[in-house]
Amino acid sequence: MNQVKSQVMQGNAKGGEQKRIADEYKAKEEKKKELEQKMLLSTLFKSVSAIQQQALKEGEDPKSVLCAYFKAGVCEKGKKCKYSHDLELEGKSAKIDIYSDPRDRNGKPPERTEITCTHFLDAVEKNLYGWLWECPNGGDKCVYTHALPPGYVLQREKKELEKARLAADDDSEELTIEE
């Protein structure tokens, strides 16, 4: 009988130890799950302050810039947002070539003339021409060319060259101390 009693007591002692270890393990697992859940929530709901404010260059069309909030998945403005929500736009950050018509990728249609579109020229002069620019003369159906002819000099560049030339002439006309 003493032998049975001692076995039962030793078994209870071992069982109590095993229960304590199991409880500790369970508590660690719960803490680990809570931490994983917090990390998942923090990645899903990024704080808006973590996204940098977007700045536009002078004359740049906001619809040609991808919305940083949309990219992070937190833009709440939808269609009212002044920035673009087109993810394909991100790859188009390179400057557009103003000496070739982007509509001529598959060859020039026979109905298109060699005359340069005046709306295109105005947009280029005012720095409005870009990936999202659409011709007011019918968009892609415009019969005029949307490319500058080779060697064409923009009016804004002519003005800059004229200013530089005048500044150079003014320097040469100034009298030196010896004169």
Side-chain angles (χ1 to χ4, degrees):
M1 181 105 163
N2 284 341
Q3 203 176 19
V4 173
K5 198 175 186 181
S6 67
Q7 283 179 348
V8 170
M9 289 297 193
Q10 287 176 358
N12 282 344
K14 287 182 183 175
E17 181 69 23
Q18 288 175 347
K19 186 178 179 186
R20 185 184 59 78
I21 291 172
D23 287 342
E24 286 177 5
Y25 179 76
K26 199 179 212 181
K28 284 181 184 178
E29 286 297 314
E30 286 178 9
K31 283 184 181 179
K32 188 176 177 182
K33 281 184 182 179
E34 283 180 29
L35 183 62
E36 286 175 358
Q37 207 171 28
K38 283 181 183 177
M39 290 182 68
L40 177 65
L41 286 173
S42 69
T43 58
L44 289 176
F45 302 107
K46 293 179 183 174
S47 89
V48 176
S49 62
I51 302 172
Q52 295 178 352
Q53 279 287 22
Q54 288 180 287
L56 291 174
K57 297 173 189 147
E58 187 177 329
E60 188 175 23
D61 181 20
K63 285 291 184 185
S64 66
V65 177
L66 181 64
C67 176
Y69 292 96
F70 178 76
K71 187 176 178 183
V74 294
C75 186
E76 298 174 353
K77 295 180 182 176
K79 290 187 177 186
K80 293 181 180 178
C81 184
K82 71 178 184 175
Y83 296 102
S84 174
H85 286 187
D86 183 11
L87 291 174
E88 293 179 14
L89 187 68
E90 196 169 22
K92 294 184 178 181
S93 61
K95 282 193 169 186
I96 191 167
D97 183 17
I98 58 175
Y99 294 99
S100 64
D101 196 331
R103 302 175 296 168
D104 293 346
R105 290 184 190 132
N106 300 329
K108 183 179 167 189
E111 65 270 2
R112 188 158 314 136
T113 66
E114 291 294 321
I115 301 170
T116 305
C117 179
T118 56
H119 297 291
F120 168 77
L121 285 174
D122 289 341
V124 171
E125 289 289 348
K126 295 175 183 174
N127 285 329
L128 299 176
Y129 182 70
W131 294 106
L132 299 175
W133 179 81
E134 192 170 322
C135 182
N137 195 23
D140 287 343
K141 296 175 185 166
C142 181
V143 295
Y144 299 106
T145 303
H146 292 162
L148 295 178
Y152 184 86
V153 181
L154 296 170
Q155 294 296 324
R156 65 175 188 232
E157 291 175 358
K158 285 181 184 176
K159 289 177 184 175
E160 290 173 11
L161 290 172
E162 185 66 26
K163 285 180 185 177
R165 189 180 61 77
L166 288 174
D169 288 348
D170 289 343
D171 292 342
S172 63
E173 292 177 9
E174 287 184 24
L175 295 175
T176 61
I177 294 175
E178 292 83 24
E179 292 175 337

